[in-house]
Amino acid sequence: MPLSPLGTLTSVLGRALPVLPVVAVIALLGLPVAPGGEGGATVADAVSGLVVLCCAVRLVRGRRRPLSRTAAVVIGLPVIGIAVAAAGAASPGAGITGLARYLQVFVLVPAAVLLLVRDRRDFRLLAWSFVGLALWQGAIGVHQYLTGTGASYQGEDIRAVGTFGASDIMGMATVVAFGLVCAVGLALGSGAARQRTAAVVCSLVLLLPLALSFSRGAWIATAAAGGAQLVLAGLRRAVKVGAVVAAVVVILVGGFGVGSAMLQERVSSITQVTDAPDQSVTDRYTMWAAAAGMWREHPLTGVGLKGFPDHRDGHASLALSSGSDTGGAGAAFRKQPLLSPHNMYLLVLSEQGLIGLLALAGSWLALLACALRGLVRTRRTTSGIGTAWGGLDCALVACGLLGWQLIDFMYADIGGPSTVLTAVCFGLVGWWALMDPASSAPRSPSRPVAAPGSLEKASTR
């Protein structure tokens, strides 16, 4: 007897119950941020704590070993540098605050997401949640550009920032880029034709709000991650999709003139960072030099968590401005202080030293290696069959998300409401790299591995 619509909905919700808290974290990032808000914990951050609690409760009730040794080492490696840097912080308050934030973003929430995702169906649900959030934020951003209600950019309130406001101009760009990377991975996978078509449409739609974010770092990271996904999916397909994307860009910019003048100027500025850099680029280079100076004075342990702002002026040159100009999107004009080097690697190097950078970057590189090995194994399974194995879309999403994040960290660091999405991103990547049967890492002895055929049937039905 077929189920009623209500019964079907109840069945679907019951099936997805373990990952619904993670979906809630993603959905809550669609809520507006108070204009001029000064960082601090958000509702999404609080719910991410509940995600960790839900995971702990499930582990206690299940009475099982949660992680393999490989997964425990890879996920827990950053704790070494974080703990050492917290002990060397200028004050106990700064040490505790920094410790909590780093553990949330790079250890606790990723581990919880990794453990709550049970199979590829859960993985795809979270990937589509990323896409949904990106479409919502992107729609708001395009509306801001068209109506002149966005953040201030070159004297006009046209910069697309979504609900994040002028104080977090990278928030919408990050969300839209994550959604675009997920959509590309889902489109290149082997799911149903309807799902692939929807993913293609979403990825093309998200190109516009990403362009209107005027975020050079997000553009570079997205182009690199998307290109890598296309190549990993197959060179022939990469050429076809690249031609389609190029045609869409030409139509939007050349045919309809969507932000053509400002976009061209912004794109050209990427290649002018050494010849005639604008003040934002000068500030960034100056803060990078200051971070390197802090590291040279404290090479092993850095200046301590949350120590960059206190040591910045002692290492920065006079070229550094007093702050970046922000305004628009419902907020009054003000100078936003420059409290970080806008480079995650240099931030970690200056505050945690070589110990912290090697531990954190080592964890990321291990994730990347395991994710790529899982993708290679997935593609090898298709040889001689003629159709792609069901995990290809998950592999491309995971590799794309991690690649995007590692590249973007050269132009940005953690901070702002969208940071919790970075934690979810690392959790998704961690599941594919360390828990999925196609990955190279061994599973826990208490969780036997079934045959690939049975796993694929279970994950797609």
Side-chain angles (χ1 to χ4, degrees), residues 253-332:
V253 179
F256 295 103
V258 178
S260 56
M262 289 188 176
L263 282 176
Q264 289 174 8
E265 180 182 348
R266 192 67 166 171
V267 171
S268 64
S269 69
I270 296 175
T271 60
Q272 297 172 352
V273 293
T274 56
D275 298 332
D278 56 33
Q279 186 58 49
S280 66
V281 175
T282 300
D283 287 340
R284 184 163 301 186
Y285 282 169
T286 304
M287 290 188 294
W288 288 4
M294 297 177 202
W295 167 69
R296 282 192 292 268
E297 289 188 2
H298 306 273
L300 287 180
T301 60
V303 298
L305 294 184
K306 298 288 186 179
F308 181 87
D310 297 333
H311 293 79
R312 182 199 63 185
D313 293 341
H315 295 83
S317 69
L318 295 178
L320 183 65
S321 67
S322 58
S324 58
D325 298 338
T326 63

Side-chain angles (χ1 to χ4, degrees), residues 49-64 66 108 111-112 115-116:
L50 293 178
V51 169
V52 176
L53 181 61
C54 290
C55 178
V57 170
R58 289 191 71 238
L59 292 179
V60 172
R61 292 182 60 185
R63 296 180 180 179
R64 60 184 176 86
L108 295 179
L115 290 168
L116 290 175

Side-chain angles (χ1 to χ4, degrees), residues 69-84:
R69 292 181 181 177
T70 302
V73 170
V74 172
I75 296 297
L77 189 59
V79 176
I80 300 173
I82 297 171
V84 172

